[in-house]
Amino acid sequence: MRVMSGDGLFMDIMWMMMEPSDSVRYLSVTTTMWVVMMIAMMVPVVMPMVVVFRQLDRGASTEFDAVLFAIGYLLAWFGFSVAAAVLQWLLHGAGSLHGDLLSLRPLVAAGLLMVAGAYQLTPLKEVCLEKCRSPIGFFLANWRAGRVGAVRMGLHHGLFCIGCCWMLMLIMFVGGAMSVITMALLSAFILAERVLPAGPWVARLPGVALIVWGGYIATLA
């Protein structure tokens, strides 16, 4: 009730995200929001990698090294969060985002969906997804000993993960940058990409579906 009446910290944050002209406050709050979203979405995704890391690591500080690996992974996504916040600021300032959820206007959203779908069909997507789907293969090819090595491996894997998912993450602007439902659906899809059996349904069929979806929205715009 306090939020609905316009009181409380949450409502203050909401108002800050509606004022792109105040760039410092807007970018600070928006970056924090993206960081929190990326942690919520990507921690479940990286857990299989952490489990395999613990099994392969024979050092005396296996648990701590696993945490360092996860920290390195999330550092990569922190960098993505900063870039996404800047993009949101630019789009909002240009009037391309609208509504309480800050979603793209239909024609732009349609274009983004089609580009995201096309990216699902590219060799780069396939290469990055393969790295994310094969924890043992990744570690055998990129193993680094020690705590610094754990962070470096986490960062390295995070970059592959960004290469796999960055266009999917931008779909947040279609459903709304502040949409919890869109975040949950994307998180479930990204996790499914990594755990489902190999086949065209992993990336290619969803890519075609995104292109068709974007085309349909374009016809309605």
Side-chain angles (χ1 to χ4, degrees):
M1 290 298 294
R2 290 183 63 196
V3 171
M4 292 178 66
S5 65
D7 193 10
L9 177 61
F10 182 76
M11 202 61 184
D12 291 340
I13 292 174
M14 292 280 288
W15 279 114
M16 290 179 193
M17 293 186 63
M18 295 298 170
E19 299 178 359
S21 58
D22 189 347
S23 57
V24 174
R25 288 205 306 174
Y26 187 94
L27 286 171
S28 299
V29 173
T30 305
T31 299
T32 302
M33 181 200 73
W34 276 95
V35 168
V36 171
M37 285 198 306
M38 292 304 101
I39 291 174
M41 294 173 71
M42 304 315 296
V43 164
V45 172
V46 78
M47 287 310 297
M49 295 291 297
V50 173
V51 170
V52 173
F53 176 87
R54 290 179 60 192
Q55 294 172 344
L56 294 176
D57 188 18
R58 301 301 181 183
S61 305
T62 301
E63 298 288 343
F64 186 63
D65 288 350
V67 171
L68 290 176
F69 174 84
I71 288 174
Y73 176 83
L74 292 175
L75 279 175
W77 281 105
F78 175 81
F80 176 85
S81 299
V82 174
V86 172
L87 177 59
Q88 181 177 326
W89 173 59
L90 293 173
L91 290 172
H92 203 172
S96 298
L97 300 179
H98 67 99
D100 294 339
L101 295 179
L102 300 181
S103 56
L104 286 169
R105 300 188 183 280
L107 196 57
V108 182
L112 177 58
L113 285 171
M114 288 189 284
V115 172
Y119 184 74
Q120 290 287 111
L121 309 178
T122 62
L124 179 58
K125 167 71 180 191
E126 185 176 348
V127 169
C128 292
L129 181 58
E130 182 60 30
K131 297 290 185 181
C132 296
R133 287 173 55 86
S134 178
I136 292 179
F138 172 81
F139 285 122
L140 290 178
N142 301 280
W143 187 263
R144 299 289 186 274
R147 294 178 177 178
V148 174
V151 176
R152 288 179 61 188
M153 283 189 292
L155 182 60
H156 193 178
H157 178 62
L159 293 175
F160 276 123
C161 196
I162 291 172
C164 179
C165 303
W166 71 279
M167 278 303 307
L168 291 174
M169 289 301 181
L170 295 185
I171 294 178
M172 283 296 301
F173 292 118
V174 176
M178 299 179 68
S179 170
V180 176
I181 294 176
T182 304
M183 182 181 74
L185 291 174
L186 281 174
S187 182
F189 175 73
I190 290 169
L191 181 60
E193 275 194 326
R194 286 152 174 73
V195 299
L196 287 177
W201 52 82
V202 174
R204 294 186 178 275
L205 289 183
V208 173
L210 287 172
I211 293 172
V212 172
W213 182 18
Y216 174 72
I217 293 177
T219 62
L220 300 177

